Amino acid sequence: VPLVLKGEYPPDFEIRGEIVLPKAKFNEINKEREIAGEPLFANPRNTASGTLKMQDSRIVADRGLTSFLYGIYGVSGLYKGHFESVQNAGKWGFRVPKEDNRFISLVSGIQGVMDFITYWDIQRAELPFEIDGVVIKVDNYDIQEELGFTAKSPRWAIAYKFKTQQVETIVNSIDFQVGRTGAVTPVANLTPVNLGGTTVKRASLHNADQIEKLGLRIGDTVTVEKGGEIIPKIVGVKTEKRNPQAIPF
């Protein structure tokens, strides 16, 4: 986020966005923690959220967080719509989605929307950060105002979530983690597998009841997906592929 803005900009406006932790930086942090004998972080999203709550600004600065700002408010009299205002915010020095890398696109019909969704459904694994969908917005500010809001969200915007990806791998062992509240969570150690552009080695099992419900054994072939495209979880056991040597839990 720039400390000083560039060019000509409105005297008063509001800008919103998201803070993200790039996958490369997340892997680097976990590698350092592994060498130091510290527990590994589960995923970039939770790590970014936890980092923001830290009171030591030196650690926060060293984590390598970045941001994308994509919502500019209070400028409807200056620009016709969302797309134009985002492009201008980039000129002021903010890190915003750019049209040249297809992070944002202005389209005139449903086919353009579907083309954008299809493109990122395929390309999302190549992004340097994790996503679970795209947001579709009505561009024109006058139409946005006419459509208005519900009690919880705008009527002129909607999120499209990608279908959850699944892969198969093997459970090698199960560990137990004690959280800061004292809750004990079983975690499956997996044969590393690529899922949605990241290498998954561990997956939460939530509790002993979940293990019993799945009928999980050490050595089982399991189906893993990312809950909300973020947190890896085991959703099924391939009993037809069960090794006779699999150990009941």
Side-chain angles (χ1 to χ4, degrees):
V1 178
L3 297 177
V4 179
L5 300 185
K6 302 180 293 184
E8 297 183 10
Y9 49 88
D12 296 293
F13 65 92
E14 178 182 334
I15 188 164
R16 303 179 190 176
E18 291 192 27
I19 294 172
V20 298
L21 178 62
K23 289 185 285 190
K25 188 61 181 179
F26 171 74
N27 292 333
E28 180 184 318
I29 292 170
N30 262 350
K31 190 173 292 185
E32 292 173 354
R33 293 180 68 85
E34 186 175 21
I35 293 172
E38 299 174 336
L40 304 184
F41 291 134
N43 57 75
R45 184 177 184 176
N46 286 3
T47 306
S49 177
T51 299
L52 292 172
K53 298 175 184 176
M54 301 182 73
Q55 297 186 3
D56 190 335
S57 60
R58 292 171 299 180
I59 297 178
V60 177
D62 190 52
R63 285 280 169 88
L65 298 174
T66 186
S67 67
F68 276 99
L69 302 165
Y70 48 71
I72 297 88
Y73 301 87
V75 295
S76 57
L78 299 174
Y79 307 111
K80 292 181 179 179
H82 174 80
F83 183 83
E84 184 182 2
S85 63
V86 169
Q87 300 307 296
N88 277 279
K91 296 175 184 176
W92 306 336
F94 290 110
R95 183 178 172 84
V96 299
K98 298 289 183 65
E99 187 177 20
D100 56 6
N101 56 20
R102 299 195 68 172
F103 283 9
I104 188 172
S105 182
L106 181 63
V107 300
S108 58
I110 190 63
Q111 189 56 53
V113 172
M114 296 310 300
D115 288 345
F116 187 84
I117 288 172
T118 300
Y119 177 83
W120 283 115
D121 195 12
I122 298 170
Q123 295 296 324
R124 57 183 161 137
E126 304 303 319
L127 285 170
F129 48 85
E130 294 185 341
I131 65 170
D132 63 354
V134 302
V135 177
I136 304 154
K137 297 181 179 180
V138 173
D139 181 60
N140 187 281
Y141 282 141
D142 290 339
I143 299 177
Q144 284 188 14
E145 187 173 348
E146 183 179 346
L147 290 170
F149 292 77
T150 67
K152 295 183 178 180
S153 59
R155 291 190 177 95
W156 43 265
I158 189 170
Y160 178 95
K161 299 295 185 180
F162 294 126
K163 183 179 179 180
T164 301
Q165 295 178 319
Q166 296 183 338
V167 293
E168 289 185 11
T169 187
I170 296 173
V171 176
N172 296 315
S173 63
I174 296 176
D175 292 337
F176 292 88
Q177 291 184 341
V178 181
R180 57 185 179 82
T181 62
V184 178
T185 303
V187 178
N189 297 305
L190 310 171
T191 298
V193 62
N194 186 282
L195 177 60
T198 59
T199 300
V200 173
K201 299 178 181 179
R202 293 158 65 83
S204 173
L205 290 165
H206 302 293
N207 51 52
D209 289 342
Q210 178 71 4
I211 297 175
E212 185 176 354
K213 181 180 178 181
L214 289 168
L216 182 66
R217 299 183 181 184
I218 296 173
D220 272 345
T221 298
V222 295
T223 302
V224 180
E225 70 176 32
K226 286 189 178 181
E229 292 292 335
I230 300 297
I231 303 171
K233 63 179 181 180
I234 293 174
V235 295
V237 176
K238 297 290 185 178
T239 54
E240 68 275 14
K241 295 183 178 181
R242 174 166 286 163
N243 188 320
Q245 304 301 318
I247 303 172
F249 179 76

